[in-house]
Amino acid sequence: MSNIFDILGPVMVGPSSSHTAGAVRIGYITRVLLGEEPIVADIGLYGSFSSTGKGHGTDRALVAGLLGMHPDDIRIPQSFELAREAGLDFAIHGIQLQDAHPNTAVIEVTGKNHKKLSVESCSIGGGRIRISKLDGITVNCSGESPTLIVHNIDQPGHVAEVTSMMAKCEVNIATMQLYRDKRGGYAVMVIETDQQVPEEKRRWLENLDGVIKVTYIDGEEI
Amino acid sequence: MSFQALEDILTVCDEEKILFWEAVLREDMNDRLVSREDSISKMKEMWYAMFHASRHYDASLKSSSGLVGGTGGQMDLYRQREEPICGDFVAEVMAEALKMGESNACMKRIVAAPTAGACGVIPAVLVPLYKRGQVTEEQVIEALYVTAGIGQVIAERAFIAGATGGCQAEIGSASSMAAGALVYLKGGSNAAIAQGSAMALKNLLGLVCDPVAGLVEVPCVKRNVIGAVNALSSADMALAGIESRIPPDQVIDAMKEIGTKMHVSLRETGEGGVANTPTAQLVRERLEKNGD
Ligand code: SF4
């Protein structure tokens, strides 16, 4: 459901809400998910992002987002130069995907503390985005509400650990999705919540046995 | 719950004896759980961003494809040189529409209204009125609520994106929103606001989305001009007491039907219409060659 400022707004750098504003958000959310400053980024563009991306500044917009810019940042057109200054080494190329949304980007990032993450996201119109894969595992979230993402080894007990932690700190779960590549393999929990998940609780999760990494979107900055 | 019909807005206005814009403002306060002041200050931000974009237009800029840039400046020069056929006010509106559309294509900061491609229509009719001192900032803010209310109903009942409904959904919606704002600013009734918006939309029904090489440049920039000028004439008709024979909400529903039937090649894919002309093909090939 859209509010009036989705109709009159957003304030954004042109030319396209899907190919420019949405692309900035994709870059931005990738940075947030990584949880640290990215220093290497490999950006794959698919579909219309690849065929009309250059003319829409999609490439510059994605890099701007990776640098932490928002869609109304007037420095977006200069993002390549700014990335060089900031020490972000990036490459952009076309990719082929199966059954992906026409405006899709797959970004593989490495952070300055060596964290790595692969994020596949698409721009679904009006500047809104959807994250469709994390580290190759299919997920589905928008980042518009607080979202806790736990990457763990698929073994019993992790879901209970996370949900009881949430109950203790009175965070209400809005939606919860579980994904895995195979039984006993790599699993991802995506939990959208009504309240913020406190930072110390996220740290605590990260130190649990079998938890590979924890990422978090606060839902406000996007 | 937002408004599902222009008729609903008019009913609320009647029942509570309030103006159109006030009904939209109250709805926003309910919807987002914000105070009156918060809502208005957010709307002011939108207006300042529009006005700022208009003032900082740079006629020397070219879009990355090289197709777009400079026409806002050409229009201004023409206005200085001679008396435009449409008269100076309308020519100024046209210049503003071109400027905003070009600024968008050249990666400047604009306000999507309702989309980036159609961002020139609403400021094109508001900025000249404001610059000439014919309306105050407060009135402009109120008029922006009128545009938002109309746009929201269109989004609820139909669509506001070229990819889903063709250009009628972008430039048509923007024109409809702008017409409502103009009727309000010129003292028209709540009902006349809805009539102006209906006539503006009806006159652009069927407009397809056919951007050359898929870029928001050609025909988008100049379509902002027709959106703005059509808003002026539709508002004048409504102010003269002329009504749309088809009720406003039914016009929106007609747009939805047309958009749904529109072939996908005419819905922002850059495959049909203007985008399919030999010249457009050459542009596309050139860009593809420079692409990688
Ligand atoms: S032609 Fe398409 S992209 Fe251009 S303004 Fe119209 S709807 Fe938007």
Side-chain angles (χ1 to χ4, degrees):
Chain A
M1 192 78 13
S2 49
N3 72 57
I4 59 170
F5 295 104
D6 295 323
I7 306 292
L8 210 67
V11 179
M12 55 168 275
V13 166
S16 159
S17 50
S18 55
H19 287 66
T20 322
V24 178
R25 286 202 171 121
I26 285 177
Y28 185 82
I29 208 156
T30 304
R31 177 190 175 101
V32 170
L33 286 167
L34 180 66
E36 59 185 49
E37 205 179 306
I39 52 164
V40 183
D42 179 85
I43 303 174
L45 302 178
Y46 169 72
S48 165
F49 258 19
S50 153
S51 58
T52 70
K54 202 167 175 80
H56 281 128
T58 305
D59 44 5
R60 289 179 179 269
L62 287 164
V63 171
L66 284 170
L67 292 174
M69 291 184 215
H70 290 287
D72 65 346
D73 199 311
I74 54 172
R75 298 169 304 164
I76 291 168
Q78 287 89 48
S79 71
F80 285 0
E81 295 74 18
L82 293 168
R84 245 161 252 135
E85 282 168 31
L88 168 63
D89 187 11
F90 63 92
I92 302 175
H93 52 87
I95 44 168
Q96 285 308 318
L97 296 171
Q98 297 271 308
D99 299 326
H101 185 283
N103 296 328
T104 295
V106 179
I107 309 183
E108 320 236 344
V109 267
T110 307
K112 68 165 186 232
N113 300 318
H114 315 296
K115 265 200 190 178
K116 279 180 187 293
L117 185 71
S118 158
V119 184
E120 177 178 318
S121 5
C122 51
S123 177
I124 56 173
R128 301 175 67 196
I129 65 165
R130 188 155 293 285
I131 301 162
S132 46
K133 272 188 188 168
L134 282 173
D135 285 339
I137 298 185
T138 304
V139 297
N140 180 7
C141 64
S142 68
E144 286 168 15
S145 47
T147 310
L148 180 72
I149 301 168
V150 183
H151 303 244
N152 56 277
I153 296 171
D154 182 34
Q155 59 197 27
H158 289 310
V159 173
E161 281 166 352
V162 174
T163 52
S164 64
M165 175 276 280
M166 296 232 184
K168 263 186 233 137
C169 53
E170 300 196 346
V171 172
N172 190 43
I173 295 178
T175 70
M176 177 155 188
Q177 307 157 49
L178 303 170
Y179 307 93
R180 62 181 179 187
D181 57 357
K182 60 173 189 287
R183 181 186 294 219
Y186 190 104
V188 176
M189 255 180 268
V190 179
I191 306 162
E192 293 178 303
T193 61
D194 294 334
Q195 292 85 20
Q196 299 291 344
V197 182
E199 196 188 337
E200 75 268 14
K201 300 291 177 194
R202 288 184 260 136
R203 288 243 184 78
W204 171 80
L205 269 182
E206 214 157 15
N207 290 323
L208 289 182
D209 241 15
V211 172
I212 299 159
K213 62 186 159 188
V214 175
T215 46
Y216 186 65
I217 307 166
D218 73 9
E220 277 163 20
E221 45 201 339
I222 192 76
Chain B
M1 203 47 188
S2 52
F3 292 112
Q4 306 290 314
L6 290 174
E7 203 49 51
D8 292 352
I9 301 183
L10 297 182
T11 308
V12 168
C13 292
D14 269 355
E15 281 170 5
E16 306 192 11
K17 311 249 167 313
I18 53 174
L19 292 174
F20 195 108
W21 75 271
E22 177 80 32
V24 180
L25 165 65
R26 289 188 190 178
E27 191 56 38
D28 181 49
M29 291 161 58
N30 277 336
D31 183 34
R32 295 191 301 125
L33 303 171
V34 293
S35 69
R36 189 181 176 89
E37 291 69 37
D38 283 349
S39 177
I40 291 178
S41 82
K42 175 115 195 186
M43 193 58 93
K44 276 192 183 154
E45 266 177 46
M46 299 300 135
W47 168 239
Y48 294 155
M50 282 179 184
F51 197 68
H52 184 273
S54 154
R55 285 188 68 131
H56 292 84
Y57 168 71
D58 181 349
S60 70
L61 290 182
K62 281 261 175 244
S63 65
S64 66
S65 75
L67 290 175
V68 157
T71 58
Q74 274 176 283
M75 200 63 202
D76 274 345
L77 279 177
Y78 168 64
R79 283 173 57 213
Q80 283 162 17
R81 253 191 352 248
E82 54 198 290
E83 171 75 19
I85 297 170
C86 296
D88 191 55
F89 177 72
V90 178
E92 189 180 343
V93 167
M94 293 165 67
E96 285 294 339
L98 291 169
K99 289 176 187 176
M100 203 63 79
E102 288 176 341
S103 295
N104 179 56
C106 297
M107 293 192 84
K108 302 281 279 184
R109 182 160 54 191
I110 53 86
V111 182
T115 59
C119 70
V121 176
I122 291 168
V125 303
L126 295 179
V127 168
L129 282 176
Y130 178 74
K131 274 202 197 151
R132 287 162 185 244
Q134 294 180 13
V135 293
T136 63
E137 180 178 301
E138 217 182 320
Q139 288 173 308
V140 170
I141 302 301
E142 293 168 5
L144 285 174
Y145 277 99
V146 173
T147 68
I150 295 166
Q152 194 172 35
V153 170
I154 297 175
E156 283 292 329
R157 294 184 85 89
F159 18 56
I160 52 166
T164 41
C167 200
Q168 55 168 3
E170 290 201 9
I171 295 290
S173 299
S175 188
S176 176
M177 293 157 71
L182 287 165
V183 174
Y184 169 68
L185 289 172
K186 289 287 177 181
S189 67
N190 293 334
I193 290 173
Q195 290 300 327
S197 74
M199 288 186 278
L201 185 61
K202 200 164 50 161
N203 294 347
L204 291 173
L205 286 183
L207 194 62
V208 301
C209 172
D210 47 359
V212 171
L215 302 177
V216 192
E217 301 191 3
V218 178
C220 316
V221 170
K222 293 178 190 113
R223 286 220 177 124
N224 278 275
V225 174
I226 190 57
V229 174
N230 175 55
L232 299 176
S233 55
S234 301
D236 263 337
M237 284 195 277
L239 289 162
I242 299 171
E243 294 193 344
S244 169
R245 292 293 182 217
I246 305 298
D249 292 313
Q250 292 182 30
V251 173
I252 299 172
D253 296 345
M255 173 171 92
K256 175 157 192 189
E257 192 206 324
I258 296 166
T260 311
K261 287 179 176 167
M262 210 175 262
H263 192 262
V264 63
S265 66
L266 302 170
R267 281 190 276 128
E268 216 180 294
T269 47
E271 288 166 2
V274 167
N276 195 27
T277 55
T279 304
Q281 300 291 358
L282 287 178
V283 171
R284 180 190 277 271
E285 280 159 31
R286 169 171 64 80
L287 292 177
E288 271 164 12
K289 241 182 254 145
N290 301 348
D292 312 274

